[in-house]
Amino acid sequence: MITGIAESILPGGETLVRTEGHTMLVANAVPGDELSVRPLQKRRGVLRGEITTVNKPGPQRVSAECPVAGECGGCALQFLAPQSHAALKSAWVHDAFRALIGVQTQWVEAETVAAASRRRVHWMVNRDEQGSFAGFYAHASHRVIRHEQCMVLTPGLQRLHSELLQHPALLSGVQGIQALELADGMHVVLEGAITEASGLPLMCADLPVQWWRRQDDVTRPLNRPVQRFHDRLPAGEQDILLAVGPDDFVQGQEAGNRKLIALIQQWAGPVRRIADLFCGIGNLSLPLAVATGAELFGAELNPASVRAAQTNAKRLGINASFVQANLFEDFNMEPYIGADLLILDPPRRGAKRICSRITHLMPKQIIMISCDPAAGARDGVMLQQQGYQLKALQALDLFAYAGHVESLSLWERA
């Protein structure tokens, strides 16, 4: 056992702790904590440890509201005073982009996000002496934590979890559960060998439930008729509905997603031609196209999302073309050349390939959403080297208590 001082919480939520002879990353530590720490193993070349005793708490340490916060790996910031979360996450974004921020850059910090707002969840199913239950992995472990409630989930998902706990037989043969609450219903995907919907509730929290089974990467409905559910999104002065399937990606917090879309429309202004790479189901670009009447060209890796985007565009009467493409490799860039606006919303690894060849696309504006500040800043360096300036940068906290932050950046040709 060794002692040390917690210094700073890093993106992802682990805290840098310095001891005599060691520097390690530790979960659930707060800056200023004086700790006794047990070293664990190196992962990816970094030594990690776990707290055995908080000898003297730092000034920002609080008692966690969640009773399993010390074990559960879902929330990284339960022991940090909630009023500090937005400033911490804003600092992660600002520090990553520091070299790119100029006098022309409008910088906006994150706002505090409400708890009980996460509408998407992935539980793992385990069995103990009390029976089957759905829970989250422990930190840095595949051990599943039993919990009665989760304070970051929407009331609808908490109600679903309670239903599952009260009927453990429903979980027989299930390895995992994914659930998504939308404006008019809830998709629930059971991962495993379940073959029928007998006994599964068809309503939860006054919302209809569509149950699905996923096995061998194939998702099939468990109850019929199959119900289609929608996300409600802002498009100028009106709202539109986008159909969302069980395998489609949507942002995990409804209010944050709406704010993201509204900011994009505010920053973009009037546009006639939009290119949307990593377009998903058209979550970001279809509302903008409805608001502006712009022509839309999109590409996405997931073919199911491409089909969903095409269906949504057709139903909305949008002049749009969506194709499947591996955007991490060479692809046909011709349809996306010379757009008024290029939207980039890549996964955590960023859009390095596209940003390195941005002079082939030459958009007037680029709006980039980055779920890893370091990857977003790396991509931003490439945009700057090719003649684009960072005009606006916004930190967005979309996940209460999580060690995760989104950045939204606007780039224009210098």
Side-chain angles (χ1 to χ4, degrees):
M1 213 72 59
I2 56 178
T3 59
I5 305 293
E7 293 194 350
S8 57
I9 303 176
L10 304 181
E14 292 181 302
T15 302
L16 182 69
V17 175
R18 294 194 188 275
T19 69
E20 290 188 13
H22 296 280
T23 299
M24 66 181 73
L25 295 181
V26 178
N28 299 323
V30 172
D33 282 350
E34 297 180 17
L35 306 167
S36 292
V37 181
R38 177 170 48 242
L40 299 175
Q41 75 284 353
K42 280 191 174 183
R43 283 193 292 120
R44 300 176 182 172
V46 178
L47 179 65
R48 282 174 164 81
E50 64 178 8
I51 298 172
T52 59
T53 309
V54 179
N55 300 317
K56 183 179 178 182
Q60 297 182 79
R61 174 171 281 275
V62 297
S63 297
E65 294 187 45
C66 175
V68 297
E71 298 179 273
C72 182
C75 292
L77 303 178
Q78 281 279 351
F79 296 93
L80 178 70
Q83 60 268 28
S84 301
H85 292 192
L88 173 66
K89 295 184 180 186
S90 298
W92 290 344
V93 173
H94 192 275
D95 289 349
F97 282 80
R98 184 181 302 276
L100 299 166
I101 296 173
V103 294
Q104 80 286 345
T105 306
Q106 176 190 357
W107 159 243
V108 183
E109 295 188 349
E111 297 176 353
T112 300
V113 64
S117 61
R118 192 179 302 186
R119 59 175 174 168
R120 192 180 70 231
V121 66
H122 190 180
W123 290 297
M124 304 309 298
V125 175
N126 202 359
R127 291 148 189 88
D128 60 14
E129 64 279 358
Q130 301 177 55
S132 298
F133 67 95
F136 299 114
Y137 281 137
H139 179 74
S141 168
H142 286 108
R143 181 169 60 91
V144 181
I145 302 298
R146 178 185 279 272
H147 63 92
E148 298 299 319
Q149 286 190 321
C150 178
M151 59 182 287
V152 303
L153 296 180
T154 63
L157 291 182
Q158 293 195 53
R159 174 77 175 273
L160 173 66
H161 186 257
S162 297
E163 293 264 0
L164 295 172
L165 285 178
Q166 292 169 19
H167 301 89
L170 297 179
L171 302 180
S172 177
V174 177
Q175 284 81 52
I177 302 170
Q178 293 191 41
L180 172 64
E181 183 179 337
L182 294 163
D184 52 3
M186 192 181 296
H187 288 300
V188 185
V189 181
L190 304 179
E191 301 168 334
I194 189 167
T195 57
E196 48 146 323
S198 175
L200 295 173
L202 299 181
M203 292 288 292
C204 182
D206 297 325
L207 287 173
V209 179
Q210 177 65 53
W211 293 89
W212 304 82
R213 177 192 69 176
R214 181 176 299 136
Q215 192 171 22
D216 301 324
D217 294 325
V218 178
T219 304
R220 294 188 174 92
L222 277 170
N223 58 303
R224 294 183 183 276
V226 177
Q227 301 178 81
R228 178 173 289 183
F229 302 139
H230 302 85
D231 205 4
R232 189 180 302 277
L233 305 177
E237 298 300 318
Q238 62 177 317
D239 275 4
I240 62 170
L241 293 175
L242 251 60
V244 181
D247 295 326
D248 294 331
F249 172 80
V250 296
Q251 286 288 354
Q253 196 224 32
E254 181 189 11
N257 188 48
R258 288 180 62 89
K259 180 175 182 178
L260 178 64
I261 293 167
L263 279 169
I264 288 173
Q265 293 172 26
Q266 177 185 330
W267 286 3
V271 291
R272 292 180 298 174
R273 182 181 172 87
I274 305 166
D276 185 4
L277 302 181
F278 304 99
C279 64
I281 63 171
N283 175 64
L284 303 177
S285 56
L286 281 172
L288 178 60
V290 169
T292 61
E295 189 178 20
L296 173 57
F297 298 85
E300 166 62 39
L301 289 83
N302 185 340
S305 294
V306 171
R307 290 192 294 271
Q310 291 168 336
T311 299
N312 280 314
K314 183 177 181 181
R315 184 175 56 82
L316 292 167
I318 299 299
N319 183 9
S321 171
F322 295 96
V323 300
Q324 193 276 331
N326 184 350
L327 302 174
F328 295 110
E329 303 293 340
D330 287 331
F331 66 99
N332 180 18
M333 288 188 167
E334 186 174 348
Y336 316 105
I337 294 173
D340 296 315
L341 174 66
L342 169 63
I343 299 175
L344 293 174
D345 186 14
R348 288 190 65 82
R349 63 194 282 194
K352 182 178 179 181
R353 183 77 173 180
I354 293 169
C355 290
S356 68
R357 304 179 65 193
I358 207 70
T359 51
H360 294 270
L361 294 170
M362 291 302 290
K364 293 179 181 177
Q365 289 184 317
I366 302 166
I367 294 179
M368 182 164 60
I369 301 90
S370 306
C371 52
D372 177 9
R378 178 208 63 203
D379 294 345
V381 167
M382 288 183 283
L383 297 180
Q384 188 183 68
Q385 290 172 342
Q386 296 172 85
Y388 286 81
Q389 288 184 334
L390 179 59
K391 302 296 289 186
L393 177 64
Q394 168 107 34
L396 289 168
D397 184 4
L398 302 184
F399 299 95
Y401 291 95
H404 178 82
V405 65
E406 302 266 348
S407 63
L408 183 68
S409 56
L410 170 65
W411 303 81
E412 294 179 357
R413 282 190 290 219

